[in-house]
């Protein structure tokens, strides 16, 4: 059962809804605030990612060719099990 105050509040909302132009929809201030917060979060994430990427060292260390081939050859051929 609805009380008198809730019925009165609903009638005010209905009259407000009828006064809006149904062909013109705008996001308003709340939409702008949400968009600005998302934009600021993306900017901060990009700034943080740029800082982390500057810390990464992309230069590869030269491998010893003989040690690299023998290590890969022994790991590639597993020894058979005998029981």
């Amino acid at each position: 059962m609805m009380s008198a105050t809730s019925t009165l509040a609903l009638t005010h909302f209905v009259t407000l809804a009828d006064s809006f132009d149904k062909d013109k929809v705008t996001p308003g201030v709340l939409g702008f605030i949400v968009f600005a917060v998302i934009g600021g979060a993306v900017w901060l994430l990009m700034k943080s990612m740029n800082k982390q990427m500057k810390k990464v060292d992309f230069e590869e260390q030269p491998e010893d060719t003989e040690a690299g081939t023998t290590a890969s050859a022994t790991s590639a051929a597993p020894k058979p099990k005998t029981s």
Side-chain angles (χ1 to χ4, degrees), residues 49-62:
M49 183 184 71
N50 193 18
K51 185 194 302 185
Q52 296 299 323
M53 292 299 283
K54 284 181 182 179
K55 292 180 183 179
V56 176
D57 182 21
F58 286 110
E59 293 183 22
E60 294 183 15
Q61 300 295 328

Side-chain angles (χ1 to χ4, degrees), residues 42-78:
V42 168
W43 181 74
L44 288 172
L45 285 171
M46 297 269 296
K47 188 175 177 182
S48 174
M49 183 184 71
N50 193 18
K51 185 194 302 185
Q52 296 299 323
M53 292 299 283
K54 284 181 182 179
K55 292 180 183 179
V56 176
D57 182 21
F58 286 110
E59 293 183 22
E60 294 183 15
Q61 300 295 328
E63 289 185 9
D64 196 18
T65 55
E66 292 177 16
T69 55
T70 57
S72 63
T74 56
S75 64

Side-chain angles (χ1 to χ4, degrees), residues 4 12 15 18 21 25 35 37 45 48 53-54 56 60 66-67 71 73 76 80 83:
H12 286 315
T15 58
D18 288 338
D21 185 11
V25 178
F35 186 76
V37 167
L45 285 171
S48 174
M53 292 299 283
K54 284 181 182 179
V56 176
E60 294 183 15
E66 292 177 16
S83 46

